[in-house]
Amino acid sequence: MSLTVVGSVAFDALETPFGKRDRVLGGAATHFGLSASFFTQVNAVGVVGGDFGDEEWAVFKRHAINTDDIEIVADGKTFFWQGRYDYDMNTAHTLDTQLNVFETFDPKLSDNSKKAEFLFLANILPMLQKGVREQMPDTKFVAMDTMNFWISSMKDAVVETIKVVDCIIINDAEARQLTEEPSIHRAAKKIMEMGPKAVVIKRGEYGATLFTKDGYFVVPAYPLESVFDPTGAGDTFAGGFMGYLASQGAVDDEVLRRTMVYGSVMASFNVEKFGTERVDALEYNEINERFKAFKTMTHFDDIPFERAVTA
Ligand code: AMP
């Protein structure tokens, strides 16, 4: 089954304690699309400027991502984001955001993109997310992301969008900010009361948690010794999650648990190099190997709990 993603396509300038890049391919739709492309056919919807070159298009092409709905504004510049990470790689410090052609982005979906059974609304203006969702009323499963900026500046609009999706994939700080609840369990419950059947709360290097009406499932992050650049890890997680889900068709608790593992597997690759470098060059056998490692890592034998201390 196919999957449509709407979101930013960008040039990023990145700085981590381990290196620096002045201009790499980035954007939420890019990281998401690359990751999902290992599992299903992806349509990307976005906008770029005339500065978006052959090298960048080649990345989408290598992964057979349909770019027909990435609009080109020839006399404009592509969205630019500059970020820095200190040793706490869970927190990005935004140094510069130049919206450029993204400022007037008005997603127009072709019939092909509209036909997709799965839809991911990456982090864009909540009203635009809702507009896209309305263009695809018959979609089987819709998930969304958002960010602290929208929650603080237009929370009502964020909630209106949450009401019309099946799943939301956000980080723990965003969940707390949205619901004004310190407990992520309560926060997830409150979000589900708004409409979604599933809530995924990402916690950076500590993994991610899935909440559904009847279930709770935690997946760790892969224990990497060196994290090089976490930019796009959240979108890469969402790409693995939605891509695998779309490849399965059925959405039930068991499939959702596996989607969580694939999300974590894909995110673990993304952080090993700058920008899209690692996922762009990824091989299927590497995904399978890491999936197996996750199975081993999270496998609990049925060891009964025994009293360690006796009176
Ligand atoms: P993540 O690290 O998964 O949250 O996503 C990082 C990507 O989001 C980067 O490649 C940026 O280009 C992109 N990005 C950063 N700020 C924004 C924004 N305000 N709107 C849309 N995309 C953004």
Side-chain angles (χ1 to χ4, degrees):
M1 294 197 181
S2 64
L3 165 63
T4 293
V5 54
V6 184
S8 59
V9 178
F11 283 120
D12 291 343
L14 308 168
E15 196 179 332
T16 79
F18 312 106
K20 198 171 179 291
R21 291 284 188 282
D22 291 333
R23 191 172 114 133
V24 295
L25 174 62
T30 310
H31 285 289
F32 177 95
L34 281 186
S35 174
S37 73
F38 286 86
F39 304 93
T40 195
Q41 202 275 310
V42 179
N43 310 303
V45 183
V47 63
V48 294
D51 53 352
F52 206 72
D54 291 346
E55 216 180 296
E56 287 76 48
W57 288 117
V59 176
F60 287 86
K61 208 164 173 200
R62 264 198 292 283
H63 295 271
I65 297 172
N66 179 359
T67 56
D68 292 352
D69 288 349
I70 299 185
E71 194 186 335
I72 305 167
V73 180
D75 57 355
K77 277 172 73 183
T78 301
F79 174 77
F80 174 78
W81 179 74
Q82 184 177 9
R84 192 194 79 233
Y85 301 84
D86 299 325
Y87 281 105
D88 173 5
M89 298 273 232
N90 291 327
T91 311
H93 303 281
T94 295
L95 304 178
D96 191 12
T97 300
Q98 294 171 21
L99 292 173
N100 299 330
V101 294
F102 203 50
E103 190 160 8
T104 49
F105 180 43
D106 179 19
K108 290 173 210 80
L109 275 68
S110 60
D111 286 343
N112 186 53
S113 291
K114 282 187 203 164
K115 271 200 299 226
E117 296 87 351
F118 288 77
L119 168 66
F120 185 66
L121 304 166
N123 166 34
I124 51 171
L125 196 73
M127 289 76 98
L128 290 183
Q129 290 179 312
K130 188 154 180 272
V132 171
R133 204 276 177 258
E134 281 160 2
Q135 289 184 57
M136 294 177 64
D138 303 323
T139 309
K140 194 172 163 141
F141 191 87
V142 185
M144 69 177 280
D145 184 14
T146 189
M147 71 185 292
N148 53 3
F149 179 72
W150 306 125
I151 300 170
S152 55
S153 59
M154 45 182 84
K155 189 161 149 183
D156 291 349
V158 174
V159 172
E160 285 309 303
T161 307
I162 293 175
K163 283 183 188 169
V164 296
V165 301
D166 302 291
C167 175
I168 180 165
I169 306 176
I170 50 176
N171 68 37
D172 48 355
E174 290 158 354
R176 290 193 178 99
Q177 185 191 1
L178 180 68
T179 57
E180 291 167 19
E181 285 288 353
S183 152
I184 62 156
H185 301 268
R186 274 180 185 237
K189 209 169 145 206
K190 266 199 174 173
I191 297 171
M192 279 190 279
E193 282 164 10
M194 296 174 192
K197 298 187 278 283
V199 175
V200 177
I201 299 190
K202 298 171 287 178
R203 316 181 86 178
E205 65 181 308
Y206 306 110
T209 307
L210 164 74
F211 296 86
T212 61
K213 191 166 52 65
D214 346 276
Y216 170 84
F217 180 69
V218 187
V219 65
Y222 188 74
L224 292 170
E225 290 206 1
S226 49
V227 171
F228 210 71
D229 167 29
T231 311
D235 298 306
T236 307
F237 177 97
F241 181 100
M242 286 296 283
Y244 181 73
L245 204 57
S247 77
Q248 297 301 293
V251 180
D252 56 39
D253 263 23
E254 200 188 319
V255 174
L256 278 173
R257 285 165 185 238
R258 253 181 285 136
T259 67
M260 289 289 288
V261 177
Y262 278 110
S264 217
V265 165
M266 296 308 288
S268 74
F269 289 117
N270 173 74
V271 302
E272 287 182 327
K273 284 193 178 169
F274 269 112
T276 57
E277 277 171 40
R278 181 70 171 101
V279 177
D280 185 19
L282 197 60
E283 303 280 348
Y284 281 92
N285 63 321
E286 297 180 282
I287 299 176
N288 291 330
E289 283 307 310
R290 211 162 268 189
F291 184 78
K292 275 194 241 153
F294 263 86
K295 272 191 172 168
T296 315
M297 209 165 66
T298 56
H299 177 74
F300 286 91
D301 287 327
D302 188 20
I303 304 167
F305 175 77
E306 287 175 37
R307 269 179 86 102
V309 181
T310 41

